[in-house]
Amino acid sequence: MPDMSAHQALVQLVPLAKELDENKVTPGVLGFIVFAVMALAVWALMKSMNRHMKRVDFEEAPEDASAKAAASSDARTPAASGTGSAGAGETTK
């Protein structure tokens, strides 16, 4: 025979379930907690990214210096730049 106290508890909860509007859906406390945790995580990530971006010291090279660097790298011979007919790991003598 089933436990009568469990049966009585279910009988008392059934009318409460009927009082709820079946067309109304709410996220409840768990939904709020999940949303709050995600919002805090996004805030912390943005703060960290901002801190890291402030540490970046990027100065664009002047146009003349970059053109000279490109010209000097093109002027190098293949042996001097390390790109020759020797394969990977081979040495030329």
Side-chain angles (χ1 to χ4, degrees), residues 55-66:
R55 290 183 188 172
V56 174
D57 186 25
F58 176 75
E59 290 184 21
E60 193 169 327
E63 193 66 35
D64 296 337
S66 63

Side-chain angles (χ1 to χ4, degrees), residues 3-80:
D3 188 18
M4 291 305 284
S5 61
H7 179 66
Q8 288 175 347
L10 288 175
V11 169
Q12 291 176 355
L13 288 177
V14 170
L16 292 176
K18 293 285 184 185
E19 292 175 11
L20 293 176
D21 185 12
E22 294 177 3
N23 296 324
K24 184 178 178 183
V25 178
T26 60
V29 177
L30 181 63
F32 173 75
I33 292 172
V34 169
F35 181 78
V37 167
M38 289 176 60
L40 287 173
V42 168
W43 177 77
L45 286 171
M46 289 179 66
K47 190 170 182 171
S48 174
M49 182 188 68
N50 194 15
R51 193 176 327 127
H52 280 85
M53 292 301 284
K54 284 181 181 179
R55 290 183 188 172
V56 174
D57 186 25
F58 176 75
E59 290 184 21
E60 193 169 327
E63 193 66 35
D64 296 337
S66 63
K68 289 179 184 177
S72 67
S73 66
D74 290 342
R76 282 191 252 164
T77 60

